[in-house]
Amino acid sequence: MNHIILYSGSEIMVLAVKNILEQNNIPYIIRNDIDSSIAAGFASDSNAVNVLVEEKDAQRAQQLLIENDIKE
């Protein structure tokens, strides 16, 4: 399975993306670079949380974000 980043943004906006994906039965992975860097004991240049989806679901997921007016 190949995953791609569908969305990168704040934790609050990622909750909205997560809800849309769940409502449409699209599996996803959330990668929180902020929490990971804090746990490792160093600061991160990234202040983003990433939502990844499988490549096969990417086009449908991107369309859902557009329909719901969610932008990075």
Side-chain angles (χ1 to χ4, degrees):
M1 289 187 278
N2 291 330
H3 288 84
I4 63 165
I5 295 175
L6 170 70
Y7 182 84
S8 294
S10 70
E11 292 182 77
I12 301 243
M13 288 305 297
V14 165
L15 290 175
V17 172
K18 177 183 154 203
N19 287 337
I20 291 167
L21 295 175
E22 287 176 352
Q23 290 171 359
N24 290 277
N25 299 314
I26 297 175
Y28 61 88
I29 297 171
I30 294 179
R31 187 182 79 205
N32 188 330
D33 293 338
I34 300 167
D35 287 347
S36 297
S37 64
I38 291 171
F42 59 89
S44 170
D45 290 342
S46 171
N47 35 341
V49 180
N50 299 300
V51 179
L52 295 87
V53 295
E54 291 183 36
E55 282 187 55
K56 68 180 180 71
D57 296 322
Q59 187 173 7
R60 184 169 156 237
Q62 289 169 340
Q63 185 60 40
L64 288 167
L65 295 187
I66 291 168
E67 290 171 9
N68 288 278
D69 200 30
I70 295 180
K71 302 172 186 153
E72 291 187 54

